[in-house]
Amino acid sequence: TPGQPMLPGDNVIRGDVDENGILNITDPVANLGYLFAGRSLSCLPAAEVTGDGKLDISDPVYLLIYLFLGGPAPRGEAVNCR
């Protein structure tokens, strides 16, 4: 559910790009920062949410649709990036 804390521990839920434990607007913003502003991400697999295996513009768009339009949840299992 958007805005709710997710998995505790070492696992990072798909879409929790900033790894704060909550899926919210900061996640697609961080993803866009990586794609277009040269910002770093500590867990790239968490940023790939469409399930196509590529990190591109479709990933932050997918997250925005999920968060604000009730689209499908990020695809894929939680990842261990620690």
Coordinates of all heavy atoms in Angstrom, one line a residue:
T1 N 0.8 -1.2 0.0 CA 0.0 0.0 0.0 C 0.9 1.2 0.0 O 1.8 1.3 0.8 CB -0.9 0.0 1.2 OG1 -1.7 -1.2 1.3 CG2 -1.8 1.2 1.2
P2 N 0.6 2.2 -0.9 CA 1.5 3.4 -0.9 C 1.4 4.1 0.4 O 0.4 4.2 1.0 CB 0.8 4.2 -2.0 CG 0.1 3.3 -2.9 CD -0.3 2.2 -2.0
G3 N 2.6 4.6 0.8 CA 2.7 5.4 2.0 C 2.8 4.6 3.3 O 2.9 5.2 4.4
Q4 N 2.7 3.3 3.2 CA 2.8 2.5 4.4 C 4.2 1.8 4.5 O 4.8 1.5 3.5 CB 1.8 1.4 4.4 CG 0.4 1.9 4.3 CD 0.0 2.6 5.6 OE1 0.3 2.2 6.7 NE2 -0.6 3.8 5.4
P5 N 4.7 1.7 5.8 CA 6.0 1.0 5.9 C 6.0 -0.4 5.3 O 5.0 -1.1 5.3 CB 6.2 0.9 7.4 CG 5.3 2.0 8.0 CD 4.2 2.1 7.0
M6 N 7.1 -0.8 4.7 CA 7.2 -2.0 4.1 C 8.1 -3.0 4.9 O 8.1 -2.9 6.1 CB 7.8 -1.8 2.6 CG 6.9 -0.9 1.8 SD 5.2 -1.3 1.7 CE 5.2 -2.4 0.3
L7 N 8.8 -3.9 4.2 CA 9.5 -4.9 4.8 C 10.7 -4.4 5.7 O 11.5 -3.6 5.3 CB 10.2 -5.8 3.8 CG 9.2 -6.6 2.8 CD1 9.9 -7.3 1.7 CD2 8.3 -7.5 3.6
P8 N 10.8 -4.9 7.0 CA 11.9 -4.5 7.8 C 13.1 -5.4 7.5 O 13.0 -6.4 6.8 CB 11.4 -4.8 9.2 CG 10.4 -5.9 9.0 CD 9.8 -5.6 7.7
G9 N 14.2 -5.0 8.0 CA 15.4 -5.8 7.8 C 16.2 -5.5 6.6 O 16.2 -4.3 6.2
D10 N 16.9 -6.5 6.1 CA 17.8 -6.2 5.0 C 17.1 -6.2 3.6 O 17.7 -5.8 2.6 CB 18.9 -7.3 4.9 CG 19.9 -7.2 6.1 OD1 20.0 -6.1 6.6 OD2 20.5 -8.2 6.4
N11 N 15.9 -6.6 3.5 CA 15.2 -6.6 2.2 C 14.7 -5.3 1.9 O 14.2 -4.6 2.7 CB 14.1 -7.6 2.2 CG 14.6 -9.1 2.2 OD1 15.7 -9.3 1.6 ND2 13.9 -10.0 2.8
V12 N 14.8 -4.9 0.6 CA 14.3 -3.6 0.1 C 13.2 -4.0 -0.9 O 13.4 -4.7 -1.8 CB 15.4 -2.8 -0.6 CG1 14.8 -1.5 -1.2 CG2 16.5 -2.5 0.4
I13 N 12.0 -3.4 -0.6 CA 10.9 -3.7 -1.5 C 11.1 -3.0 -2.8 O 11.7 -1.9 -2.9 CB 9.5 -3.2 -0.8 CG1 8.3 -3.7 -1.6 CG2 9.5 -1.7 -0.7 CD1 7.9 -5.0 -1.3
R14 N 10.7 -3.7 -3.9 CA 10.8 -3.0 -5.2 C 10.0 -1.7 -5.2 O 8.9 -1.6 -4.7 CB 10.1 -3.9 -6.3 CG 10.9 -5.2 -6.6 CD 12.1 -5.0 -7.4 NE 12.8 -6.2 -7.5 CZ 13.5 -6.6 -8.5 NH1 13.7 -5.8 -9.5 NH2 14.1 -7.7 -8.5
G15 N 10.7 -0.7 -5.7 CA 10.1 0.6 -5.7 C 10.5 1.5 -4.6 O 10.4 2.8 -4.7
D16 N 11.0 1.0 -3.5 CA 11.5 1.8 -2.4 C 13.0 2.3 -2.7 O 13.9 1.9 -2.2 CB 11.5 1.0 -1.1 CG 11.9 1.9 0.1 OD1 11.9 3.1 0.0 OD2 12.1 1.3 1.2
V17 N 13.0 3.2 -3.7 CA 14.3 3.6 -4.3 C 15.2 4.3 -3.3 O 16.4 4.1 -3.3 CB 14.0 4.5 -5.5 CG1 15.3 4.9 -6.2 CG2 13.2 3.7 -6.6
D18 N 14.6 5.0 -2.4 CA 15.4 5.7 -1.4 C 15.6 4.9 -0.1 O 16.2 5.4 0.8 CB 14.9 7.1 -1.1 CG 13.5 7.0 -0.5 OD1 12.9 5.9 -0.2 OD2 12.9 8.1 -0.3
E19 N 15.1 3.7 -0.1 CA 15.3 2.7 1.0 C 14.8 3.3 2.4 O 15.5 3.0 3.4 CB 16.7 2.3 1.1 CG 17.2 1.6 -0.2 CD 18.6 1.1 -0.1 OE1 18.9 0.2 0.7 OE2 19.4 1.6 -0.8
N20 N 13.8 4.0 2.4 CA 13.3 4.5 3.7 C 12.2 3.7 4.3 O 11.6 4.0 5.3 CB 12.8 6.0 3.6 CG 11.6 6.2 2.8 OD1 11.1 5.2 2.2 ND2 11.1 7.4 2.8
G21 N 11.8 2.6 3.6 CA 10.8 1.6 4.1 C 9.4 2.0 3.7 O 8.5 1.3 4.1
I22 N 9.2 3.0 2.9 CA 7.9 3.5 2.5 C 7.9 3.8 1.0 O 8.8 4.5 0.6 CB 7.5 4.7 3.3 CG1 7.4 4.4 4.8 CG2 6.1 5.3 2.8 CD1 7.2 5.7 5.7
L23 N 6.9 3.4 0.3 CA 6.7 3.8 -1.1 C 6.0 5.1 -1.1 O 4.8 5.2 -0.6 CB 5.9 2.7 -1.9 CG 6.6 1.4 -2.1 CD1 5.7 0.5 -2.9 CD2 8.0 1.6 -2.8
N24 N 6.6 6.1 -1.6 CA 6.0 7.5 -1.7 C 6.7 8.3 -2.8 O 7.5 7.7 -3.5 CB 6.0 8.2 -0.3 CG 7.4 8.4 0.2 OD1 8.4 8.4 -0.5 ND2 7.5 8.5 1.5
I25 N 6.3 9.5 -2.9 CA 6.8 10.4 -4.0 C 8.3 10.5 -4.1 O 8.8 10.7 -5.1 CB 6.1 11.8 -3.9 CG1 6.4 12.6 -5.2 CG2 6.5 12.5 -2.7 CD1 5.8 12.0 -6.5
T26 N 9.0 10.3 -3.0 CA 10.4 10.5 -3.0 C 11.1 9.3 -3.8 O 12.2 9.5 -4.3 CB 11.0 10.5 -1.6 OG1 10.7 9.2 -0.9 CG2 10.5 11.6 -0.8
D27 N 10.4 8.2 -4.0 CA 11.0 7.1 -4.7 C 11.1 7.4 -6.3 O 12.2 7.3 -6.8 CB 10.2 5.8 -4.4 CG 10.4 5.5 -2.9 OD1 11.5 5.4 -2.5 OD2 9.3 5.4 -2.3
P28 N 10.0 7.8 -6.9 CA 10.2 8.1 -8.3 C 11.1 9.3 -8.6 O 11.8 9.4 -9.5 CB 8.7 8.3 -8.9 CG 7.9 8.5 -7.7 CD 8.6 7.8 -6.5
V29 N 11.0 10.3 -7.6 CA 11.9 11.4 -7.7 C 13.4 11.0 -7.6 O 14.2 11.4 -8.4 CB 11.6 12.5 -6.6 CG1 12.7 13.6 -6.6 CG2 10.2 13.1 -6.9
A30 N 13.7 10.1 -6.7 CA 15.1 9.6 -6.6 C 15.5 8.8 -7.9 O 16.6 8.9 -8.4 CB 15.2 8.7 -5.4
N31 N 14.5 8.0 -8.4 CA 14.8 7.3 -9.7 C 15.1 8.3 -10.8 O 16.0 8.1 -11.6 CB 13.5 6.4 -10.0 CG 13.8 5.3 -10.9 OD1 14.7 5.3 -11.7 ND2 13.1 4.2 -10.7
L32 N 14.3 9.3 -10.9 CA 14.5 10.3 -12.0 C 15.9 11.0 -11.8 O 16.6 11.3 -12.8 CB 13.4 11.4 -12.0 CG 12.1 10.8 -12.5 CD1 10.9 11.8 -12.2 CD2 12.1 10.6 -14.0
G33 N 16.2 11.3 -10.5 CA 17.5 11.9 -10.2 C 18.7 11.0 -10.7 O 19.7 11.5 -11.2
Y34 N 18.5 9.7 -10.6 CA 19.5 8.8 -11.1 C 19.6 8.8 -12.6 O 20.6 8.8 -13.2 CB 19.2 7.4 -10.6 CG 20.1 6.3 -11.2 CD1 21.4 6.1 -10.7 CD2 19.6 5.5 -12.2 CE1 22.2 5.2 -11.3 CE2 20.5 4.5 -12.8 CZ 21.8 4.4 -12.3 OH 22.6 3.4 -12.9
L35 N 18.4 8.7 -13.2 CA 18.4 8.6 -14.7 C 18.8 9.9 -15.4 O 19.4 9.8 -16.4 CB 16.9 8.3 -15.1 CG 16.4 6.9 -14.8 CD1 14.9 6.7 -15.0 CD2 17.2 5.8 -15.6
F36 N 18.5 11.1 -14.8 CA 18.7 12.3 -15.6 C 19.6 13.3 -14.9 O 20.0 14.3 -15.6 CB 17.3 12.9 -15.9 CG 16.5 12.1 -16.7 CD1 15.4 11.4 -16.2 CD2 16.8 11.9 -18.1 CE1 14.6 10.6 -17.0 CE2 16.0 11.0 -18.9 CZ 14.9 10.4 -18.3
A37 N 19.9 13.2 -13.6 CA 20.8 14.2 -13.0 C 22.1 13.6 -12.4 O 22.8 14.3 -11.7 CB 20.0 14.8 -11.8
G38 N 22.4 12.4 -12.7 CA 23.6 11.8 -12.3 C 23.7 11.4 -10.8 O 24.8 11.2 -10.3
R39 N 22.6 11.4 -10.1 CA 22.6 11.0 -8.7 C 22.8 9.5 -8.6 O 22.5 8.7 -9.5 CB 21.3 11.5 -8.1 CG 21.1 13.0 -8.2 CD 20.6 13.6 -7.0 NE 20.6 15.0 -7.1 CZ 19.6 15.8 -7.4 NH1 18.4 15.2 -7.6 NH2 19.7 17.1 -7.4
S40 N 23.3 9.1 -7.4 CA 23.6 7.7 -7.2 C 22.4 7.1 -6.4 O 21.7 7.7 -5.7 CB 24.9 7.5 -6.4 OG 24.8 8.1 -5.1
L41 N 22.3 5.8 -6.6 CA 21.4 4.9 -5.9 C 22.1 3.8 -5.3 O 23.0 3.2 -5.9 CB 20.3 4.4 -6.8 CG 19.3 5.3 -7.5 CD1 18.4 4.6 -8.4 CD2 18.6 6.2 -6.5
S42 N 21.8 3.5 -4.0 CA 22.6 2.4 -3.4 C 22.0 1.0 -3.6 O 22.6 0.0 -3.4 CB 22.6 2.7 -1.9 OG 21.3 2.7 -1.3
C43 N 20.8 1.0 -4.2 CA 20.1 -0.3 -4.5 C 19.4 -0.3 -5.9 O 18.2 -0.1 -5.9 CB 19.2 -0.7 -3.4 SG 18.5 -2.3 -3.6
L44 N 20.2 -0.4 -6.9 CA 19.6 -0.3 -8.3 C 18.5 -1.3 -8.5 O 17.5 -1.0 -9.2 CB 20.7 -0.5 -9.3 CG 21.6 0.7 -9.5 CD1 22.7 0.4 -10.5 CD2 20.9 1.9 -9.9
P45 N 18.6 -2.6 -8.0 CA 17.5 -3.5 -8.3 C 16.1 -3.0 -7.7 O 15.1 -3.3 -8.3 CB 17.9 -4.8 -7.6 CG 19.4 -4.7 -7.6 CD 19.7 -3.3 -7.4
A46 N 16.1 -2.3 -6.6 CA 14.9 -1.7 -6.1 C 14.2 -0.7 -7.0 O 13.0 -0.5 -7.0 CB 15.1 -1.1 -4.7
A47 N 15.0 -0.1 -7.8 CA 14.5 1.0 -8.7 C 13.9 0.4 -10.0 O 13.1 1.1 -10.7 CB 15.7 1.9 -9.2
E48 N 14.1 -0.9 -10.3 CA 13.6 -1.5 -11.5 C 12.2 -2.1 -11.1 O 12.2 -3.2 -10.5 CB 14.5 -2.5 -12.1 CG 14.2 -3.0 -13.5 CD 13.0 -3.8 -13.6 OE1 13.0 -4.9 -13.1 OE2 12.0 -3.3 -14.3
V49 N 11.1 -1.5 -11.4 CA 9.8 -1.9 -10.9 C 8.9 -2.5 -12.0 O 7.8 -3.0 -11.7 CB 9.1 -0.8 -10.2 CG1 9.9 -0.4 -9.0 CG2 8.8 0.4 -11.1
T50 N 9.2 -2.3 -13.3 CA 8.3 -2.8 -14.3 C 8.4 -4.3 -14.6 O 7.5 -4.8 -15.2 CB 8.5 -2.0 -15.6 OG1 9.9 -2.3 -16.1 CG2 8.3 -0.5 -15.4
G51 N 9.5 -4.9 -14.2 CA 9.7 -6.3 -14.4 C 10.3 -6.6 -15.7 O 10.4 -7.8 -16.1
D52 N 10.8 -5.6 -16.5 CA 11.4 -5.9 -17.8 C 12.9 -6.0 -17.7 O 13.6 -6.3 -18.7 CB 11.0 -4.8 -18.8 CG 11.6 -3.4 -18.4 OD1 12.3 -3.3 -17.4 OD2 11.3 -2.5 -19.2
G53 N 13.5 -5.9 -16.5 CA 14.9 -6.1 -16.3 C 15.8 -4.9 -16.7 O 17.0 -5.0 -16.7
K54 N 15.1 -3.8 -17.1 CA 15.9 -2.6 -17.5 C 15.4 -1.4 -16.6 O 14.3 -1.3 -16.3 CB 15.5 -2.2 -19.0 CG 15.9 -3.3 -20.0 CD 15.6 -2.8 -21.4 CE 14.1 -2.8 -21.5 NZ 13.6 -2.5 -22.9
L55 N 16.4 -0.6 -16.3 CA 16.1 0.6 -15.5 C 16.1 1.8 -16.5 O 17.1 2.2 -17.0 CB 17.2 0.8 -14.4 CG 17.0 2.0 -13.5 CD1 15.6 2.0 -12.9 CD2 18.0 2.1 -12.5
D56 N 14.8 2.3 -16.7 CA 14.7 3.4 -17.7 C 13.5 4.3 -17.2 O 12.9 4.1 -16.1 CB 14.5 2.9 -19.1 CG 13.4 1.9 -19.3 OD1 12.4 2.0 -18.5 OD2 13.4 1.1 -20.2
I57 N 13.1 5.2 -18.0 CA 12.0 6.2 -17.7 C 10.7 5.5 -17.3 O 9.9 6.0 -16.6 CB 11.8 7.2 -18.8 CG1 10.9 8.3 -18.4 CG2 11.3 6.5 -20.1 CD1 11.3 9.2 -17.3
S58 N 10.5 4.3 -17.9 CA 9.2 3.6 -17.6 C 9.1 3.2 -16.1 O 8.0 3.1 -15.6 CB 9.1 2.4 -18.4 OG 10.1 1.4 -18.1
D59 N 10.2 3.1 -15.4 CA 10.2 2.7 -14.0 C 9.6 3.8 -13.1 O 8.7 3.6 -12.3 CB 11.6 2.2 -13.5 CG 12.0 1.0 -14.2 OD1 11.3 -0.1 -14.0 OD2 12.9 1.0 -15.0
P60 N 10.1 5.1 -13.1 CA 9.5 6.1 -12.3 C 8.1 6.4 -12.7 O 7.2 6.7 -11.9 CB 10.4 7.3 -12.4 CG 11.3 7.1 -13.6 CD 11.3 5.6 -13.8
V61 N 7.8 6.3 -14.0 CA 6.4 6.5 -14.5 C 5.5 5.5 -13.9 O 4.4 5.8 -13.4 CB 6.3 6.6 -16.0 CG1 4.9 6.5 -16.5 CG2 7.1 7.8 -16.6
Y62 N 5.9 4.2 -13.9 CA 5.2 3.1 -13.3 C 4.9 3.4 -11.9 O 3.8 3.1 -11.4 CB 6.0 1.8 -13.5 CG 5.3 0.5 -13.2 CD1 4.7 -0.3 -14.2 CD2 5.2 0.1 -11.9 CE1 4.1 -1.5 -13.9 CE2 4.6 -1.1 -11.6 CZ 4.0 -1.9 -12.6 OH 3.4 -3.1 -12.4
L63 N 5.9 3.8 -11.1 CA 5.7 4.1 -9.7 C 4.7 5.2 -9.5 O 3.9 5.2 -8.6 CB 7.1 4.5 -9.1 CG 7.9 3.4 -8.6 CD1 9.2 4.0 -8.0 CD2 7.3 2.6 -7.5
L64 N 4.8 6.3 -10.3 CA 3.8 7.4 -10.2 C 2.4 6.9 -10.4 O 1.5 7.3 -9.7 CB 4.2 8.5 -11.1 CG 5.4 9.3 -10.7 CD1 5.9 10.2 -11.9 CD2 5.2 10.1 -9.5
I65 N 2.2 6.1 -11.4 CA 0.9 5.5 -11.7 C 0.4 4.7 -10.6 O -0.8 4.7 -10.2 CB 0.9 4.7 -13.1 CG1 1.1 5.7 -14.2 CG2 -0.3 3.9 -13.2 CD1 1.4 5.0 -15.6
Y66 N 1.3 3.9 -10.0 CA 0.9 3.1 -8.8 C 0.5 4.0 -7.6 O -0.5 3.8 -7.0 CB 2.1 2.2 -8.4 CG 1.9 1.5 -7.1 CD1 0.9 0.6 -6.9 CD2 2.7 1.8 -6.0 CE1 0.7 -0.1 -5.6 CE2 2.6 1.2 -4.8 CZ 1.6 0.3 -4.6 OH 1.4 -0.3 -3.4
L67 N 1.3 5.0 -7.4 CA 1.1 5.8 -6.2 C -0.1 6.7 -6.3 O -0.8 6.9 -5.3 CB 2.3 6.7 -5.9 CG 3.6 6.0 -5.4 CD1 4.8 6.9 -5.5 CD2 3.4 5.4 -4.0
F68 N -0.4 7.2 -7.5 CA -1.4 8.3 -7.6 C -2.6 7.9 -8.4 O -3.6 8.6 -8.3 CB -0.8 9.6 -8.2 CG 0.2 10.1 -7.2 CD1 1.6 10.0 -7.5 CD2 -0.1 10.7 -6.0 CE1 2.5 10.5 -6.6 CE2 0.8 11.2 -5.2 CZ 2.2 11.1 -5.5
L69 N -2.5 6.8 -9.2 CA -3.7 6.5 -10.0 C -4.2 5.0 -9.8 O -5.0 4.5 -10.5 CB -3.3 6.6 -11.5 CG -2.9 8.0 -12.0 CD1 -2.5 8.0 -13.4 CD2 -4.1 9.0 -11.7
G70 N -3.6 4.4 -8.8 CA -4.1 3.1 -8.4 C -3.6 2.0 -9.4 O -4.3 0.9 -9.5
G71 N -2.5 2.2 -10.1 CA -2.0 1.2 -11.0 C -1.4 0.0 -10.3 O -1.5 -0.1 -9.0
P72 N -0.9 -1.0 -11.0 CA -0.4 -2.2 -10.4 C 0.8 -1.9 -9.6 O 1.6 -1.0 -9.8 CB 0.0 -3.1 -11.6 CG 0.1 -2.2 -12.8 CD -0.8 -1.0 -12.5
A73 N 1.0 -2.7 -8.5 CA 2.2 -2.6 -7.6 C 3.5 -2.9 -8.4 O 3.4 -3.6 -9.4 CB 2.0 -3.6 -6.5
P74 N 4.6 -2.5 -7.9 CA 5.9 -2.8 -8.5 C 6.0 -4.3 -8.6 O 5.6 -5.1 -7.7 CB 6.9 -2.2 -7.5 CG 6.2 -1.1 -6.9 CD 4.7 -1.5 -6.8
R75 N 6.6 -4.8 -9.7 CA 6.7 -6.2 -10.0 C 8.1 -6.7 -9.5 O 9.1 -6.0 -9.6 CB 6.6 -6.4 -11.5 CG 5.3 -6.1 -12.0 CD 5.3 -6.3 -13.5 NE 4.0 -5.9 -14.0 CZ 3.7 -5.8 -15.3 NH1 4.5 -6.3 -16.2 NH2 2.5 -5.4 -15.7
G76 N 8.1 -7.9 -9.0 CA 9.3 -8.5 -8.5 C 9.4 -8.6 -7.0 O 8.7 -7.9 -6.3
E77 N 10.2 -9.5 -6.6 CA 10.4 -9.8 -5.2 C 11.2 -8.7 -4.5 O 12.0 -8.0 -5.2 CB 11.1 -11.1 -5.0 CG 10.3 -12.3 -5.5 CD 9.1 -12.6 -4.8 OE1 9.0 -12.4 -3.5 OE2 8.1 -12.9 -5.4
A78 N 11.2 -8.6 -3.2 CA 12.1 -7.7 -2.5 C 13.5 -8.1 -2.8 O 13.8 -9.3 -3.1 CB 11.8 -7.7 -1.0
V79 N 14.4 -7.2 -2.7 CA 15.8 -7.5 -3.0 C 16.7 -7.2 -1.8 O 16.4 -6.3 -1.0 CB 16.3 -6.6 -4.2 CG1 15.6 -7.1 -5.5 CG2 16.1 -5.2 -4.0
N80 N 17.8 -7.9 -1.7 CA 18.8 -7.7 -0.6 C 19.9 -6.9 -1.2 O 20.7 -7.4 -2.0 CB 19.2 -9.0 0.0 CG 20.1 -8.8 1.2 OD1 20.7 -7.8 1.4 ND2 20.0 -9.8 2.1
C81 N 20.0 -5.6 -0.8 CA 21.1 -4.8 -1.3 C 22.1 -4.4 -0.2 O 22.9 -3.5 -0.4 CB 20.5 -3.5 -1.9 SG 19.7 -3.8 -3.4
R82 N 22.1 -5.0 0.9 CA 23.0 -4.6 2.0 C 24.1 -5.7 2.1 O 24.0 -6.8 1.8 CB 22.2 -4.5 3.3 CG 21.4 -3.2 3.2 CD 20.6 -3.0 4.5 NE 19.9 -1.8 4.5 CZ 18.7 -1.6 4.0 NH1 18.1 -2.6 3.4 NH2 18.2 -0.4 4.0

